[in-house]
Amino acid sequence: MRYADRMNILGTETAFEVLAKARALEAKGRTIVHLEIGEPDFDTPAPIRAAAVRAIEEGFTHYTPSPGLPEIREVIAKYISQDRGLPVTADQVVVTPGGKPVITFGILATVNPGDEVIVPNPGFPIYESAVRFAGGTPVSLLLREERDFRFGAEDIEKLITPRTKMVILNSPHNPTGSVLTPKDLDEIASLLRERDIWVLSDEIYSKIIYEGTHESIATRPGMAERTILMDGFSKTYAMTGWRLGYGVMNPTVAKHVARLATNVYSCATAFVQRAASVALGGSQAEAEAMVAQFRRRRDVIIEGLKAIPGITCTKPAGAFYAFPNIRALGMKSADAERVLLEEAGVAALSGTAFGSFGEGYLRFSYANSVEQIQEGMKRLGSLVQGQAKAAR
Ligand code: PLP
């Protein structure tokens, strides 16, 4: 049997592969410390769970319009208007199963074959995958450790050509935890405003921030109509398995994205959509408590990493990932990922899972308990010590 050529260019997210390998080791009786997958270990807050159950009982078990239930699009428009200070109407909102479809559909709706898209590298691997799938060419925007993995307009400007169609921003950033400052956003907006370039702004970690505040580039003059803003419920409300996210964009792109949804999955799950209004409209105390826990865990993992000879790590300002530099260990990142899992029972990701410029780094997700993080760091420390001894 022959398969379609396009499957050769579709990438993936290796977090799911490492998770599967880790689970296979667990099935053989190994104990594994899970620091690979980016999902909160907390339960979804009870009021949100109750809202979904209520919605099932009330009969929200049928198709909804492809862009989402009208009342939920209203709730999201109101929320983004208030939270970001960005006036948004319901016709700009598309409710999706997780934030991910906004990435792929946003790209499919705007990028033509041959177009170039500037993507952060290291960065979330789905950006590059979706750009290639659309026939576009990803152009890497190198994020440097010396600059705390931030970048400025001048870094983007160097990469712009007549074929540049889109720039992808992700702040707070996966995998480095960097956060763009309001000034960074001002300068990037000034650069892009005058040009015919889209921005895909992945703001899925907008509420998981420890230093500074989150702002959207869409709020900058002239940027709303050219920005596809993505956010969702997976990370903020520990709802990864519910699959609920949304995009905010100009009404024409919203129609295109909704048509893609009609072709692929029709609509996001009706009763899951209903729970969104409780998540956004109800008390934020549980979500805030989770962020307080993440902050504590961040401090624990950074301290643990820094105590290991040969490892250094920038302090992340947001999201729940640490991206330590392991170059001094003299190992390729992919080998370090494998040895760490197989010999020490710690599941983490190679920096190269986020692009070629991730070489020399590992990514640890600290969305796990303090005890598990400490155990992971203990195992990593012993492994590094053992290897150093063997090399002597
Ligand atoms: N964008 C980034 C940067 C992410 O890290 C993730 C999840 O890991 C997503 C998007 C996908 O989020 P969702 O689960 O809502 O589809």
Side-chain angles (χ1 to χ4, degrees):
M1 300 304 289
R2 290 188 302 138
Y3 299 94
D5 295 340
R6 73 174 68 85
M7 292 314 295
N8 298 328
I9 53 170
L10 192 65
T12 189
E13 222 188 314
T14 45
F16 289 102
E17 290 167 15
V18 175
L19 178 65
K21 268 196 231 165
R23 293 255 186 264
L25 288 172
E26 280 173 328
K28 287 187 194 152
R30 292 279 302 276
T31 62
I32 304 292
V33 178
H34 288 278
L35 302 175
E36 75 283 45
I37 197 97
E39 75 168 338
D41 56 325
F42 304 109
D43 286 334
T44 304
I48 303 176
R49 300 200 309 262
V53 172
R54 215 166 41 241
I56 293 177
E57 296 300 345
E58 286 168 1
F60 285 91
T61 51
H62 300 275
Y63 291 131
T64 78
S66 285
L69 286 164
E71 64 272 26
I72 302 306
R73 295 173 79 195
E74 283 288 352
V75 165
I76 292 170
K78 197 166 144 219
Y79 166 75
I80 289 291
S81 301
Q82 282 172 359
D83 187 75
R84 305 291 206 278
L86 176 70
V88 166
T89 49
D91 62 346
Q92 292 176 257
V93 176
V94 183
V95 188
T96 47
K100 250 183 190 172
V102 179
I103 300 174
T104 302
F105 291 170
I107 289 169
L108 285 173
T110 54
V111 173
N112 273 320
D115 286 347
E116 292 175 358
V117 178
I118 297 174
V119 296
N121 186 343
F124 190 51
I126 299 307
Y127 308 142
E128 238 190 85
S129 173
V131 169
R132 286 193 204 283
F133 200 64
T137 306
V139 174
S140 288
L141 171 62
L142 168 62
L143 307 197
R144 291 191 203 87
E145 188 180 354
E146 317 76 270
R147 290 206 51 195
D148 290 338
F149 298 109
R150 284 173 33 237
F151 51 88
E154 69 284 5
D155 301 298
I156 295 179
E157 194 167 16
K158 281 183 214 140
L159 302 176
I160 291 179
T161 74
R163 296 164 81 166
T164 306
K165 192 63 168 290
M166 176 182 265
V167 174
I168 300 183
L169 303 180
N170 171 217
S171 175
H173 182 247
N174 176 11
T176 68
S178 67
V179 172
L180 293 173
T181 65
K183 189 163 167 279
D184 294 336
L185 295 175
D186 289 343
E187 290 172 6
I188 296 167
S190 301
L191 172 74
L192 300 179
R193 188 160 38 236
E194 304 304 323
R195 296 172 164 84
D196 198 12
I197 298 177
W198 292 96
V199 175
L200 176 66
S201 181
D202 180 343
E203 303 180 18
I204 197 85
Y205 297 102
S206 58
K207 291 290 160 208
I208 304 176
I209 190 157
Y210 320 107
E211 252 72 70
T213 48
H214 173 74
E215 290 185 20
S216 177
I217 194 159
T219 58
R220 298 317 195 247
M223 293 307 290
E225 63 175 60
R226 62 182 64 242
T227 301
I228 300 171
L229 184 163
M230 186 269 262
D231 202 339
F233 299 79
S234 299
K235 318 287 178 177
T236 311
Y237 301 102
M239 289 173 68
T240 46
W242 292 62
R243 310 311 300 136
L244 190 63
Y246 54 88
V248 176
M249 58 207 88
N250 81 46
T252 307
V253 197
K255 280 201 182 105
H256 292 328
V257 168
R259 191 142 51 95
L260 284 158
T262 306
N263 277 267
V264 180
Y265 55 75
S266 298
C267 61
T269 308
F271 52 84
V272 168
Q273 290 188 51
R274 290 286 293 181
S277 52
V278 171
L280 293 181
S283 161
Q284 300 301 302
E286 276 196 68
E288 283 161 11
M290 290 186 222
V291 177
Q293 289 287 330
F294 289 140
R295 180 192 290 273
R296 177 153 173 255
R297 295 163 177 195
R298 172 191 68 156
D299 295 344
V300 169
I301 198 163
I302 297 301
E303 210 173 287
L305 286 166
K306 282 187 169 166
I308 300 170
I311 297 183
T312 58
C313 193
T314 303
K315 198 173 189 183
F320 37 60
Y321 307 108
F323 202 62
N325 184 327
I326 59 155
R327 284 208 183 103
L329 300 182
M331 227 194 266
K332 288 263 178 216
S333 293
D335 292 333
E337 172 194 291
R338 186 179 44 76
V339 170
L340 193 54
L341 178 62
E342 290 173 3
E343 294 184 18
V346 178
L349 298 184
S350 164
T352 51
F354 301 90
S356 51
F357 295 134
E359 184 56 77
Y361 298 89
L362 284 175
R363 190 200 78 171
F364 292 92
S365 161
Y366 52 86
N368 204 336
S369 68
V370 165
E371 294 70 33
Q372 284 293 292
I373 292 167
Q374 283 168 336
E375 175 63 20
M377 292 305 103
K378 200 170 103 195
R379 291 184 187 196
L380 174 63
S382 307
L383 181 79
V384 170
Q385 221 172 28
Q387 295 222 327
K389 241 189 220 159
R392 264 187 240 131

